[in-house]
Amino acid sequence: MPGIRGPSDYSREPPRHPCLQINAKEPFNAEPPRSALVSSYATPVDLFYKRNHGPIPVVDDIERYCVDFCGLSETPKKLYMRDIRMLPKYNVTATLQCAGNRRTAMSKTRKVRGVGWDVSAIGNAVWGGAKLADVLELIGIPKLTSSTQSGGKHVEFVSIDKCKEENGGPYKASIPLSQATNPVADVLLAYEMNGEPLNRDHGYPLRVIVPGVIGARSVKWLDSINIIAEECQGFFMQKDYKMFPPSVDWDNINWSTRKPQMDFPVQSAICSLEDVQSIKPGKVTISGYAVSGGGRGIERVDVSIDGGKTWVEAFRSQKTGIPYIADHISSDKWAWVLFEVTVDIPHSTEIVAKAVDSAANVQPEKVQDIWNLRGILNTSWHQVHVRVGHSNM
C-alpha cells in the first residue's frame, strides 16, 4: 500500500507509557493499572490498553496513503485522507473492550488460551471521523442498505499489519452491511482520538470504530474495505472470538458451530481496589466502570460488602454536571459509566460488584458457568478481597 507498510519485525515500535502492565511484548499487548481507568471519563490515550497482533505499521507518506474500496459494489474507488476529511466529521464517545478482558481470572478457574488480561483491557474515548454510512455513499451504496445489487451483504475491513495467525497476512474482520450503512449505528472511519490524531498504537492514520461491539471488529491501519457476500473468512472471525460452552475443549471444538462474537455483554469491574488489598477499618470509597454492548445503557450497579448477601446501589456518572440516565438522549449510549459508593468496612471481607443494563441483563455470579476455552467475555461478578488491619495508634 502506498504511503504505509506493515513491518515484518519489531524494530520500529512506538514509545509507550512506563506504567503499562505488559502482558505480551511481541506483539505488544498491555493495559494500564486499574486505578487509572476511574481517574477520568475519557481514558487518556497513553493509558488506553494496547492490543496488537503484529508489528505496528509505519506511515512513510501520508499524502500517498489511501483506502481501496472494492468487492460487490457498483463503483470501486480509492479514497485518500483528504477525501474522508471532506465528509462531515462526527465525534462519537465509545468504549472499546478486548473480548479477553478479565481472562486471567477465568484462567484461574480452568486454564484457557490467550493473552492474559486483568480488568483494564478496556477504555473509553471520543473518536472523531467520518461515518462509514457517508463514506459508502461515495461508492454508490445508499444509507440503510442491507444488500447491494451485486449481492454484497457484509463490509470487510482489512488492515495493513502482518499477523502470524493469518500466516503473515493482514488482520481482517467484517460487520453486516445493514449496520455499516445505518447512521444511527455510529460506525466511524476514525482519524482522531480524544481530539488528537490517532497515534500509531491506535491505528494511525485511519481505523474503523464499531461501537458496542468487541474491539476485535474495530480494525486499525485500514488498507482496504471490501463489500462481500458472506461474512469475513479471516482467522479472527472464524477461528477465534467465538463463545463456546464449558463442555467444549480443544479436542472436540468445531468452530463452524458458532457465530463470530459481536456485541459484548454487560460488564463491570472494581478499579479502586486490587483483587487482594489491605486497608484500615472505616469508610472506603469503591469505584469502577460498568458498560454494556449494543448501545444498552447501565440501569444499575450493585455493590456488596459481604460477598453478595446484601447489596447497595452505587452512583453512576458519565459527563460532569449532567445526571446519567440510561438510554436517555443526554447520555453517551456507546460509552461506559463510572460508578462510586462509600461504605463502612469494619473487618476483612469480600467486596462484589455487578451491573444491570437497560434490557435487564445482569452479570452471572460464577465464572465457572461461563468458562470457555479461549477465555473470552468473562463478565462474572467482580470480586475483591480486603484485609482490614487495625492501626496501633
Side-chain angles (χ1 to χ4, degrees):
M1 165 62 68
I4 188 172
R5 55 192 167 88
S8 56
D9 60 47
Y10 293 90
S11 62
R12 298 283 304 273
E13 294 290 280
R16 278 99 177 199
H17 198 285
C19 83
L20 293 177
Q21 174 186 320
I22 299 173
N23 298 327
K25 189 174 181 182
E26 294 180 353
F28 189 80
N29 289 279
E31 62 188 305
R34 61 174 67 176
S35 58
L37 295 182
V38 289
S39 63
S40 60
Y41 176 53
T43 310
V45 174
D46 286 349
L47 300 181
F48 209 97
Y49 77 100
K50 321 296 181 192
R51 178 70 176 112
N52 298 300
H53 295 87
I56 306 301
V58 176
V59 175
D60 296 314
D61 186 349
I62 190 61
E63 295 301 321
R64 296 179 63 214
Y65 168 75
C66 63
V67 178
D68 282 319
F69 287 77
C70 47
L72 302 174
S73 63
E74 309 311 310
T75 51
K77 255 186 186 180
K78 290 182 185 290
L79 291 182
Y80 292 82
M81 286 302 299
R82 58 182 175 271
D83 301 317
I84 294 166
R85 287 180 177 275
M86 285 178 65
L87 292 168
K89 179 189 172 186
Y90 292 87
N91 288 316
V92 175
T93 304
T95 298
L96 287 189
Q97 178 177 211
C98 176
N101 193 28
R102 300 180 59 198
R103 177 180 282 136
T104 297
M106 183 176 280
S107 193
K108 289 177 182 177
T109 296
R110 191 167 137 207
K111 188 172 176 57
V112 301
R113 289 186 190 174
V115 176
W117 296 98
D118 188 40
V119 303
S120 302
I122 187 171
N124 191 51
V126 181
W127 307 95
K131 285 198 177 183
L132 181 57
D134 290 341
V135 177
L136 292 176
E137 281 194 318
L138 296 179
I139 63 167
I141 302 177
K143 291 183 172 68
L144 303 178
T145 296
S146 57
S147 178
T148 66
Q149 291 183 353
S150 305
K153 295 182 180 179
H154 298 264
V155 180
E156 179 183 59
F157 311 108
V158 182
S159 179
I160 196 71
D161 66 351
K162 297 178 179 178
C163 310
K164 66 177 183 180
E165 295 90 346
E166 294 284 5
N167 297 315
Y171 187 100
K172 50 190 173 182
S174 68
I175 63 173
L177 182 63
S178 57
Q179 182 179 9
T181 59
N182 186 352
V184 177
D186 287 332
V187 181
L188 291 184
L189 293 192
Y191 43 80
E192 286 184 2
M193 181 180 183
N194 291 346
E196 300 290 336
L198 291 171
N199 71 12
R200 288 179 57 207
D201 262 324
H202 295 293
Y204 177 78
L206 193 68
R207 69 174 299 168
V208 65
I209 293 292
V210 187
V213 168
I214 63 169
R217 314 308 176 210
S218 289
V219 176
K220 299 183 281 189
W221 313 294
L222 286 171
D223 178 34
S224 62
I225 294 179
N226 306 317
I227 310 303
I228 55 179
E230 305 292 336
E231 67 191 15
C232 170
Q233 294 301 300
F235 178 90
F236 297 101
M237 287 287 288
Q238 299 305 326
K239 297 204 170 175
D240 204 352
Y241 300 122
K242 292 184 176 183
M243 188 66 167
F244 285 89
S247 58
V248 172
D249 58 31
W250 293 103
D251 294 324
N252 62 14
I253 189 170
N254 181 352
W255 288 101
S256 65
T257 62
R258 292 293 182 275
K259 292 181 178 180
Q261 185 66 37
M262 300 303 280
D263 289 8
F264 51 79
V266 62
Q267 171 77 286
S268 71
I270 296 167
C271 297
S272 55
L273 298 167
E274 297 300 316
D275 282 347
V276 178
Q277 185 159 338
S278 297
I279 62 172
K280 294 179 180 179
K283 298 289 184 184
V284 176
T285 297
I286 300 165
S287 58
Y289 64 77
V291 67
S292 191
R296 294 176 291 276
I298 296 298
E299 189 64 31
R300 203 174 76 238
V301 179
D302 300 325
V303 174
S304 172
I305 60 169
D306 54 15
K309 296 176 184 176
T310 61
W311 302 87
V312 294
E313 187 173 344
F315 174 76
R316 295 157 296 138
S317 66
Q318 283 188 337
K319 296 166 283 191
T320 303
I322 302 177
Y324 174 77
I325 305 171
D327 295 352
H328 192 268
I329 192 170
S330 65
S331 301
D332 293 327
K333 66 182 291 187
W334 307 113
W336 67 14
V337 301
L338 300 181
F339 70 83
E340 183 176 297
V341 64
T342 300
V343 293
D344 187 56
I345 301 182
H347 51 74
S348 300
T349 188
E350 184 179 88
I351 300 174
V352 183
K354 63 178 173 70
V356 182
D357 72 14
S358 56
N361 298 305
V362 64
Q363 293 174 250
E365 178 180 355
K366 297 177 181 177
V367 67
Q368 293 93 329
D369 295 338
I370 54 172
W371 183 93
N372 58 91
L373 73 176
R374 274 290 282 117
I376 68 167
L377 305 181
N378 180 9
T379 57
S380 59
W381 293 3
H382 188 222
Q383 305 175 354
V384 299
H385 303 273
V386 292
R387 298 168 177 164
V388 174
H390 294 266
S391 171
N392 293 325
M393 294 181 66

